[in-house]
Amino acid sequence: MFCKNCGKQIPDGAHVCPYCGVSQEISAPVKKKDDTNVLAIVGFILSFFVAIAGLVCSVIGLKKAPELGGNGHGLALAGLIISIVSIAFSFIAVIIYIALLGSFLAAL
Ligand SMILES: [Zn+2]
């Protein structure tokens, strides 16, 4: 390898250049900006079929979005909203069903 500062050849894996003394530590790897936010996509799709699973995946996808340069943020948010609406509708449907069943049984 070569020194980052003076360009002289130095031993591979050397932490400090023996010629100029400049640190050769590699800076933290740059986060990928083009990574696909898989959880956001999965959460979005699941929100239509399995609302609770979609909700969980969307929440995780939403938290991961900033790490991926905002990738999948909109999709995760959409999945989150669809999941919540879906759960709310299921909840209302169950209440209506129980109410109808109750009035039906009371009429017998
Ligand atoms: Zn050097």
Side-chain angles (χ1 to χ4, degrees), residues 4-108:
K4 287 196 297 188
N5 184 50
C6 64
K8 282 180 178 151
Q9 193 165 8
I10 55 170
D12 283 344
H15 294 293
V16 177
C17 173
Y19 302 101
C20 67
V22 166
S23 171
Q24 304 296 310
E25 295 295 321
I26 301 150
S27 52
V30 179
K31 276 167 187 164
K32 285 184 193 169
K33 293 276 179 191
D34 58 345
D35 258 357
T36 310
N37 195 337
V38 178
L39 276 166
I41 298 165
V42 171
F44 180 74
I45 296 164
L46 276 177
S47 64
F48 289 100
F49 307 103
V50 191
I52 291 173
L55 185 72
V56 172
C57 287
S58 294
V59 167
I60 299 166
L62 204 59
K63 283 183 178 178
K64 272 187 74 177
E67 292 174 26
L68 302 170
N71 220 334
H73 185 267
L75 205 60
L77 202 64
L80 188 71
I81 293 163
I82 293 164
S83 301
I84 291 168
V85 169
S86 181
I87 290 166
F89 270 109
S90 309
F91 194 67
I92 292 164
V94 167
I95 289 170
I96 291 169
Y97 179 76
I98 290 168
L100 285 175
L101 196 71
S103 59
F104 178 72
L105 289 174
L108 288 174

